[in-house]
Amino acid sequence: MNRISHRGVVETIEGDRIEVRFTQTSACAACHVAGHCSAAESREKVVSVIDRSAARSHAVGDEVTVAMTADNGRRAVVLAFVLPFVLMVSALSLCLWLTRREDVAALAGVGSLAPYYFILYLCRGRLARRFAFVIEE
Protein backbone atom coordinates (compact mmCIF):
# COMPACT_ATOMS: atom_id res chain seq x y z
CA MET A 1 0.00 0.00 0.00
CA ASN A 2 2.88 2.39 -0.58
CA ARG A 3 1.61 3.33 -4.05
CA ILE A 4 -1.40 5.26 -5.24
CA SER A 5 -2.54 3.86 -8.58
CA HIS A 6 -5.41 4.35 -10.99
CA ARG A 7 -6.46 2.49 -14.13
CA GLY A 8 -6.89 4.79 -17.07
CA VAL A 9 -6.88 5.13 -20.84
CA VAL A 10 -4.12 6.74 -22.90
CA GLU A 11 -5.65 9.85 -24.40
CA THR A 12 -2.75 11.46 -26.27
CA ILE A 13 0.91 10.77 -26.95
CA GLU A 14 3.22 13.66 -27.88
CA GLY A 15 6.90 12.73 -27.98
CA ASP A 16 7.77 11.30 -24.58
CA ARG A 17 4.65 12.75 -22.91
CA ILE A 18 1.55 10.60 -22.42
CA GLU A 19 -1.76 11.94 -21.15
CA VAL A 20 -3.87 9.39 -19.30
CA ARG A 21 -7.54 9.92 -18.41
CA PHE A 22 -8.97 8.12 -15.39
CA THR A 23 -11.98 8.37 -13.14
CA GLN A 24 -11.15 9.31 -9.57
CA THR A 25 -13.79 8.11 -7.14
CA SER A 26 -14.30 8.89 -3.50
CA ALA A 27 -13.90 6.08 -0.99
CA CYS A 28 -17.66 5.76 -0.53
CA ALA A 29 -18.32 5.43 -4.28
CA ALA A 30 -17.81 1.66 -3.98
CA CYS A 31 -20.57 1.42 -1.36
CA HIS A 32 -23.68 -0.52 -2.43
CA VAL A 33 -25.94 2.50 -1.78
CA ALA A 34 -23.64 5.01 -3.50
CA GLY A 35 -26.14 5.49 -6.34
CA HIS A 36 -28.70 6.83 -3.87
CA CYS A 37 -26.34 8.92 -1.77
CA SER A 38 -25.17 12.42 -2.60
CA ALA A 39 -21.85 11.88 -0.80
CA ALA A 40 -20.52 9.47 -3.44
CA GLU A 41 -18.43 11.44 -5.86
CA SER A 42 -16.37 10.70 -8.93
CA ARG A 43 -14.46 12.99 -11.29
CA GLU A 44 -12.49 12.47 -14.46
CA LYS A 45 -8.83 13.49 -14.28
CA VAL A 46 -6.12 13.72 -16.87
CA VAL A 47 -2.49 13.30 -15.79
CA SER A 48 0.68 13.71 -17.82
CA VAL A 49 3.35 11.04 -17.66
CA ILE A 50 6.83 11.72 -19.03
CA ASP A 51 8.34 8.38 -20.09
CA ARG A 52 10.20 7.77 -23.36
CA SER A 53 9.96 3.98 -23.24
CA ALA A 54 6.27 3.99 -22.31
CA ALA A 55 5.48 6.43 -25.13
CA ARG A 56 6.94 3.94 -27.62
CA SER A 57 5.20 0.91 -26.16
CA HIS A 58 1.68 2.35 -25.80
CA ALA A 59 -0.89 3.71 -28.23
CA VAL A 60 -3.88 6.01 -27.86
CA GLY A 61 -6.75 4.02 -26.37
CA ASP A 62 -4.55 1.56 -24.44
CA GLU A 63 -5.57 0.83 -20.87
CA VAL A 64 -2.72 1.52 -18.44
CA THR A 65 -2.14 1.91 -14.71
CA VAL A 66 -0.64 5.21 -13.54
CA ALA A 67 0.93 5.32 -10.10
CA MET A 68 2.61 7.61 -7.61
CA THR A 69 4.19 6.77 -4.28
CA ALA A 70 1.99 7.30 -1.24
CA ASP A 71 4.70 9.50 0.29
CA ASN A 72 4.41 11.88 -2.66
CA GLY A 73 0.64 11.88 -2.23
CA ARG A 74 1.03 12.88 1.41
CA ARG A 75 3.56 15.58 0.52
CA ALA A 76 1.15 16.98 -2.06
CA VAL A 77 -1.61 17.16 0.56
CA VAL A 78 0.73 18.98 2.95
CA LEU A 79 1.74 21.51 0.27
CA ALA A 80 -1.81 22.06 -0.98
CA PHE A 81 -3.77 22.09 2.28
CA VAL A 82 -1.81 21.86 5.53
CA LEU A 83 0.86 24.53 4.99
CA PRO A 84 -1.57 27.12 3.55
CA PHE A 85 -3.94 26.51 6.46
CA VAL A 86 -1.16 26.95 9.04
CA LEU A 87 0.10 30.07 7.25
CA MET A 88 -3.37 31.62 7.06
CA VAL A 89 -4.25 30.90 10.70
CA SER A 90 -0.84 32.18 11.86
CA ALA A 91 -1.18 35.40 9.88
CA LEU A 92 -4.75 35.86 11.08
CA SER A 93 -3.81 35.26 14.73
CA LEU A 94 -0.74 37.49 14.63
CA CYS A 95 -2.58 40.33 12.93
CA LEU A 96 -5.53 40.03 15.30
CA TRP A 97 -3.17 40.10 18.28
CA LEU A 98 -1.32 43.15 16.92
CA THR A 99 -4.23 45.23 15.63
CA ARG A 100 -7.29 43.90 17.51
CA ARG A 101 -9.26 44.41 14.29
CA GLU A 102 -11.00 41.38 12.85
CA ASP A 103 -11.43 42.87 9.37
CA VAL A 104 -7.73 43.61 9.01
CA ALA A 105 -6.83 40.20 10.44
CA ALA A 106 -9.14 38.42 8.00
CA LEU A 107 -7.61 40.28 5.04
CA ALA A 108 -4.10 39.51 6.30
CA GLY A 109 -4.96 35.83 6.69
CA VAL A 110 -6.36 35.51 3.19
CA GLY A 111 -3.70 37.82 1.77
CA SER A 112 -0.93 35.65 3.21
CA LEU A 113 -1.94 32.91 0.78
CA ALA A 114 -1.11 34.97 -2.34
CA PRO A 115 2.68 34.90 -1.85
CA TYR A 116 2.53 31.22 -0.85
CA TYR A 117 0.71 30.16 -4.01
CA PHE A 118 2.88 32.47 -6.13
CA ILE A 119 5.99 30.70 -4.79
CA LEU A 120 4.37 27.34 -5.58
CA TYR A 121 3.66 28.63 -9.09
CA LEU A 122 7.31 29.63 -9.54
CA CYS A 123 8.38 26.15 -8.38
CA ARG A 124 5.88 24.30 -10.60
CA GLY A 125 8.53 22.71 -12.82
CA ARG A 126 10.44 21.28 -9.89
CA LEU A 127 7.22 20.16 -8.22
CA ALA A 128 6.00 18.50 -11.43
CA ARG A 129 9.18 16.43 -11.57
CA ARG A 130 8.92 15.50 -7.91
CA PHE A 131 5.22 14.55 -7.99
CA ALA A 132 5.36 12.73 -11.31
CA PHE A 133 3.12 9.80 -12.15
CA VAL A 134 4.65 6.71 -13.76
CA ILE A 135 3.08 4.01 -15.88
CA GLU A 136 3.23 0.62 -14.20
CA GLU A 137 3.98 -2.31 -16.46
Side-chain angles (χ1 to χ4, degrees):
M1 287 295 296
N2 62 352
R3 295 186 78 69
I4 300 167
S5 61
H6 297 281
R7 293 288 295 164
V9 177
V10 175
E11 192 161 272
T12 61
I13 299 175
E14 296 174 6
D16 59 351
R17 184 170 158 234
I18 300 174
E19 290 194 351
V20 178
R21 178 180 299 278
F22 63 88
T23 302
Q24 179 185 22
T25 57
S26 66
C28 59
C31 176
H32 68 283
V33 294
H36 305 289
C37 176
S38 63
E41 174 185 320
S42 65
R43 290 179 279 168
E44 285 212 343
K45 299 269 187 174
V46 176
V47 295
S48 292
V49 179
I50 308 292
D51 188 347
R52 286 191 181 114
S53 62
R56 285 181 290 215
S57 62
H58 293 289
V60 174
D62 286 355
E63 192 169 307
V64 297
T65 301
V66 291
M68 173 187 284
T69 64
D71 286 341
N72 276 349
R74 285 188 284 276
R75 284 186 190 109
V77 168
V78 168
L79 283 175
F81 300 108
V82 176
L83 289 179
F85 176 74
V86 169
L87 178 66
M88 184 174 67
V89 170
S90 298
L92 185 128
S93 299
L94 180 65
C95 193
L96 187 60
W97 181 70
L98 291 174
T99 65
R100 303 279 187 234
R101 292 190 53 197
E102 291 178 2
D103 55 343
V104 172
L107 289 174
V110 172
S112 68
L113 296 178
Y116 176 78
Y117 284 114
F118 181 69
I119 291 168
L120 279 184
Y121 176 77
L122 292 177
C123 298
R124 69 189 178 278
R126 183 173 173 214
L127 292 172
R129 286 188 299 276
R130 177 160 185 128
F131 296 110
F133 278 92
V134 296
I135 294 181
E136 291 183 333
E137 298 300 326

